[in-house]
Amino acid sequence: KARTLKMAKERAAKKRNEGVSIGMAPADALASSWGKPKKVNRTTRASGVREQWVYGNGNYLYFDNGVLTSIQN
């Protein structure tokens, strides 16, 4: 049990050190080195929901229907 907990903590630490990549879910991006955005802009369209996560310094993440589809930096 202790080993499983240690492995889970190691995985979480590794995620925090990694950046983001196309295809990630919002929870994965939050757990990455990017962390929580300063602001989230949400647009609802006929094709679904698009979110723009604003980090500052020209860094943005774009999610379409809960999937990271674009990274701007």
Side-chain angles (χ1 to χ4, degrees):
K1 203 170 190 177
R3 183 168 187 231
T4 303
L5 182 59
K6 182 181 177 189
M7 289 173 59
K9 285 183 179 180
E10 288 172 355
R11 275 195 306 272
K14 184 178 177 190
K15 266 189 175 182
R16 279 192 301 277
N17 291 329
E18 293 176 352
V20 293
S21 59
I22 300 299
M24 277 186 160
D28 295 325
L30 288 171
S32 77
S33 61
W34 285 57
K36 184 178 176 183
K38 291 182 178 183
K39 183 178 179 184
V40 175
N41 297 313
R42 186 172 288 112
T43 304
T44 303
R45 306 173 293 176
S47 60
V49 177
R50 173 165 242 212
E51 290 184 347
Q52 176 195 50
W53 289 18
V54 181
Y55 286 90
N57 297 324
N59 294 309
Y60 302 89
L61 298 180
Y62 296 91
F63 292 87
D64 288 306
N65 299 317
V67 177
L68 181 59
T69 56
S70 301
I71 302 166
Q72 180 181 342
N73 55 3

